Amino acid sequence: MSKSREMRILWFLLLFLCEARSQGVSRPNFVLLVADDLGIGDPGCYGNKTLRTPGMDRLAQEGVKLTQHLAASPLCTPSRAAFMTGRYPVRSGMASAARVGVFIFSACSGGLPTSEVTFAKLLKNQGYSTALIGKWHLGNNCHNNADFCHHPLSHGFGYFYGLLGTNMRDCKPGDGTVFIGGIRVLAYTPLKVITITLLTLVALKHLGLLDVPPAVFFCLLFLAALILGLLLAFLHYFRPLNCFLIRDHEITQQPMSYDNLTQRLTRDAASFIRRNVDTPFLLVLSYLHVHTALYSSEEFAGKSKHGTYGDAVEEMDWSIGQILNVLDELRLSNNTLVYFTSDHGAHVEELNSKGEVHGGSNGIYKGGKSNNWEGGIRIPGIFRWPGVLQAGLEIDEPTSNMDVFPTVVKLAGSPLPEDRVIDGRDLMPLLQGRSQRSDHEFLFHYCNVYLNAVRWHPQNSSSIWKAFFFTPKFTPEGANGCFSTHLCFCYGQYITHHDPPLLFDISKDPRERNPLSPRTEPRFREIVATMQQAADLHTRALQAVPNQLSLGNILWKPWLQMCCSSSGLSCQCDREAQDERETL
Ligand SMILES: *[C@@H]1O[C@H](CO)[C@@H](O)[C@H](O)[C@H]1NC(C)=O
Ligand SMILES: *[C@@H]1O[C@H](CO)[C@@H](O)[C@H](O)[C@H]1NC(C)=O
């Protein structure tokens, strides 16, 4: 072999090694922090002056803050499905056609289909260590109580600790129930009717006006007892059957306790990071905060200026700070992309039984959770990656929580799936300032399965048009939400249709106060026609998929129920204390 040839081979080898090494170094870790029901008006870095959120503020100061970051849906389950898959929830069947738009029971058969590809799955294939800690809310079992077809471990997460369903008032003794409406219709009204009938019959019989056979009394009493029994059983068993903590496939606490819950989740997240100092990792820390039931540990209870809601926000913020400290301590900060967001806007209708506000603030924006006014979908969105993203940058282009999927997947060195539509767009060009424009010309805003509004950011224009095909009827009239029904619904008597659509220029009217008309906007018809056409194209290209939120898929199915004790219906155990001792 000639000397020069040898040299060339050596050079080649060296280059190859360097390339491989630099690729290894440039593949960052990911820490994705997701709040539940937090409004964009809550973090200090988004303008709140009275809630203390130093953790979130630090992220914004050291990273890039998005001011028009949008949830793919104003409800938990569909928004989280879109976040995990980078696709509109209708594409995976994770959008309801009826009133109930989220999973309520842990033992329901609906969930994120295994045919869907999450970013966790792709990262795991790339050698990433992957974990989800906290809330999932995308299903669990399909056919029996241990097939785990929709479980996080079946969707690319190598480790899971948390809650399969969602935090709810019914999970916390003394915090009331979210089923008041259902109880009124299914139990209270029938019981009232039966009682009145019984009393009337007794009176008539007593007065000798009517001869009522004893069997009638017996039947009515039996019916009343049955309804009452079912109601009491439901209220009694709901908590253990739905509110439990689970590690991988093993229940650790049933029912879950709120004592130091955030501390436990944070500690678990920190130890996952510590275990993976030498491996690229993906951590999704999906907080139970600040959905009701509100809770906080002794250290935070009563400390904020905004009641139990504010205490919960401040405790979550403390946890964010802890995670950032761990990254610093392990010298991982410069090699970790941290993202912070909420699943959708604050639930403004959420009041406790004493009328205390238990929902957050959507700042200047109208509406909130469960509707597509800006308050329902505009969410905090912060990306921090020191040395790669410019600290303190603010971007007002429309972006979506679906964009996290392609952004993360590309950075991890994985190709994007080619056999399906991915609606998210890689955010790195925008975040790094290489591009000034969002890749989203059109964004579609769904109310469950119904196309509610379209957003259009025309090229070479600063306008952000938003056209509503329908809007929710706020109740009582004039309110900033659907207080009479607690959430807004997406069809029938609950909405007002608009033809032509209700058009706003969000860039000039972010509060959505002044709908445009052909008189105030000379290009009105042209704009609306373009948006209508985009909506038609989008809708026509959708493929029919099984509805994961059909009645059959959201109902409680006893054979899917997980229970940590084999004896009877009690389902009670607490291995958390034991686990804690073992990790010490
Ligand atoms: C700050 O957050 C609290 C709690 O959500 C809210 O009551 C208050 O109105 C917010 N302040 C601003 C300026 O949005
Ligand atoms: C992290 O990156 C920042 C910004 O580039 C730099 O100032 C800092 O020294 C780096 N820290 C470490 C530990 O490398």
Side-chain angles (χ1 to χ4, degrees):
M1 222 190 282
S2 77
K3 197 137 199 190
S4 75
R5 175 118 190 258
E6 246 168 59
M7 284 297 284
R8 269 217 305 276
I9 292 176
L10 207 70
W11 257 118
F12 193 76
L13 253 171
L14 257 173
L15 271 175
F16 177 78
L17 280 175
C18 286
E19 181 85 337
R21 203 182 139 68
S22 77
Q23 256 187 16
V25 170
S26 67
R27 286 202 319 169
N29 306 306
F30 300 99
V31 173
L32 313 181
L33 307 161
V34 184
D36 197 356
D37 286 13
L38 182 81
I40 195 168
D42 288 328
C45 51
Y46 281 94
N48 201 303
K49 301 227 157 26
T50 43
L51 265 177
R52 291 166 298 187
T53 57
M56 303 173 206
D57 302 350
R58 178 183 163 194
L59 272 179
Q61 216 167 50
E62 299 174 358
V64 179
K65 183 171 86 178
L66 303 176
T67 55
Q68 197 180 158
H69 197 45
L70 302 155
S73 167
L75 273 187
C76 302
T77 296
S79 170
R80 285 158 191 269
F83 172 63
M84 289 288 168
T85 59
R87 289 147 57 79
Y88 288 113
V90 273
R91 297 198 197 276
S92 52
M94 296 292 274
S96 165
R99 272 204 201 190
V100 181
V102 302
F103 297 123
I104 292 171
F105 301 109
S106 71
C108 67
S109 54
L112 191 64
T114 28
S115 54
E116 289 297 320
V117 177
T118 66
F119 55 78
K121 204 184 263 180
L122 295 174
L123 264 62
K124 197 165 177 226
N125 289 344
Q126 293 294 309
Y128 271 74
S129 198
T130 55
L132 175 77
I133 293 171
K135 162 173 166 169
W136 173 238
H137 213 184
L138 298 175
N140 184 22
N141 288 314
C142 289
H143 306 292
N144 60 55
N145 69 0
D147 63 50
F148 301 111
C149 62
H150 303 305
H151 187 284
L153 296 197
S154 306
H155 274 297
F157 290 101
Y159 175 74
F160 171 61
Y161 170 61
L163 183 62
L164 285 167
T166 179
N167 183 18
M168 263 196 249
R169 283 183 185 281
D170 298 70
C171 294
K172 194 167 171 227
D175 260 38
T177 174
V178 293
F179 300 109
I180 281 292
I183 290 172
R184 205 172 284 145
V185 175
L186 296 173
Y188 180 69
T189 309
L191 280 174
K192 201 165 79 182
V193 172
I194 293 172
T195 311
I196 293 171
T197 314
L198 264 174
L199 290 176
T200 315
L201 290 179
V202 168
L204 289 175
K205 188 172 168 128
H206 195 72
L207 294 171
L209 293 173
L210 191 69
D211 185 27
V212 189
V216 172
F217 286 112
F218 179 76
C219 280
L220 283 173
L221 278 173
F222 178 77
L223 197 62
L226 187 72
I227 293 172
L228 203 62
L230 284 174
L231 174 66
L232 291 178
F234 178 82
L235 291 178
H236 181 76
Y237 286 113
F238 186 88
R239 181 169 166 243
L241 295 188
N242 299 289
C243 319
F244 53 85
L245 294 178
I246 171 168
R247 175 169 283 117
D248 293 338
H249 292 149
E250 296 290 326
I251 293 178
T252 62
Q253 196 175 47
Q254 189 172 21
M256 71 177 181
S257 149
Y258 286 87
D259 289 344
N260 294 319
L261 183 49
T262 306
Q263 284 73 6
R264 283 183 272 156
L265 295 171
T266 310
R267 201 181 316 134
D268 212 55
S271 62
F272 172 78
I273 297 176
R274 287 180 200 285
R275 287 200 296 279
N276 288 285
V277 177
D278 299 318
T279 345
F281 65 83
L282 160 76
L283 166 66
V284 180
L285 179 49
S286 168
Y287 289 103
L288 273 56
H289 280 317
V290 287
H291 198 291
T292 53
L294 296 175
Y295 70 96
S296 54
S297 57
E298 238 170 70
E299 243 177 282
F300 295 91
K303 300 287 162 63
S304 79
K305 292 200 176 83
H306 294 285
T308 39
Y309 181 84
D311 299 344
V313 175
E314 295 191 0
E315 185 177 76
M316 174 172 68
D317 186 82
W318 161 83
S319 168
I320 294 171
Q322 293 293 302
I323 298 298
L324 298 184
N325 290 347
V326 171
L327 292 175
D328 283 345
E329 181 205 317
L330 302 174
R331 306 188 146 271
L332 290 173
S333 297
N334 281 7
N335 194 28
T336 302
L337 177 63
V338 180
Y339 168 65
F340 173 70
T341 194
S342 178
D343 56 353
H344 47 66
H347 191 185
V348 291
E349 293 93 340
E350 189 72 342
L351 310 171
N352 74 353
S353 49
K354 295 186 206 98
E356 189 188 333
V357 177
H358 273 197
S361 159
N362 294 315
I364 62 161
Y365 302 108
K366 192 194 281 192
K369 175 175 179 174
S370 81
N371 61 70
N372 279 304
W373 294 108
E374 289 295 280
I377 50 177
R378 226 183 246 237
I379 46 178
I382 308 173
F383 285 86
R384 187 196 77 164
W385 188 0
V388 177
L389 303 183
Q390 190 193 320
L393 194 65
E394 227 180 277
I395 296 175
D396 192 35
E397 285 287 292
T399 56
S400 164
N401 65 342
M402 296 184 289
D403 297 341
V404 171
F405 181 100
T407 307
V408 161
V409 166
K410 276 195 180 172
L411 286 171
S414 165
L416 286 172
E418 279 175 3
D419 60 343
R420 63 196 66 213
V421 179
I422 300 291
D423 298 297
R425 296 284 179 268
D426 181 9
L427 283 176
M428 282 310 276
L430 201 58
L431 295 177
Q432 288 191 295
R434 286 184 275 128
S435 160
Q436 308 305 314
R437 298 283 303 190
S438 161
D439 254 2
H440 292 287
E441 187 177 352
F442 293 98
L443 274 166
F444 302 97
H445 301 303
Y446 279 88
C447 190
N448 288 338
V449 81
Y450 306 97
L451 183 57
N452 190 167
V454 179
R455 180 182 304 250
W456 181 31
H457 188 25
Q459 270 144 22
N460 311 317
S461 155
S462 59
S463 298
I464 309 270
W465 306 109
K466 186 174 172 192
F468 284 89
F469 302 118
F470 63 86
T471 47
K473 282 184 196 155
F474 279 174
T475 52
E477 221 174 306
N480 183 34
C482 303
F483 286 85
S484 323
T485 43
H486 191 62
L487 284 170
C488 297
F489 302 126
C490 311
Y491 57 87
Q493 69 192 89
Y494 302 104
I495 60 168
T496 310
H497 286 276
H498 300 284
D499 188 15
L502 204 59
L503 183 70
F504 297 92
D505 183 353
I506 299 293
S507 70
K508 300 203 180 85
D509 181 19
R511 294 164 195 250
E512 296 166 290
R513 282 186 174 163
N514 308 304
L516 301 167
S517 67
R519 212 166 40 77
T520 54
E521 174 51 60
R523 287 169 303 151
F524 182 88
R525 297 206 188 283
E526 198 185 311
I527 294 163
V528 163
T530 307
M531 296 176 82
Q532 184 70 60
Q533 196 184 11
D536 290 346
L537 268 175
H538 164 77
T539 311
R540 255 183 280 138
L542 289 176
Q543 279 165 10
V545 290
N547 179 358
Q548 299 295 329
L549 286 144
S550 64
L551 187 61
N553 274 334
I554 61 170
L555 275 183
W556 179 61
K557 296 186 174 164
W559 58 94
L560 302 185
Q561 183 66 50
M562 287 187 76
C563 183
C564 62
S565 53
S566 47
S567 59
L569 258 173
S570 72
C571 294
Q572 295 217 354
C573 63
D574 189 354
R575 299 187 189 123
E576 291 267 307
Q578 185 190 335
D579 287 353
E580 212 162 294
R581 273 200 306 277
E582 277 166 14
T583 55
L584 281 179

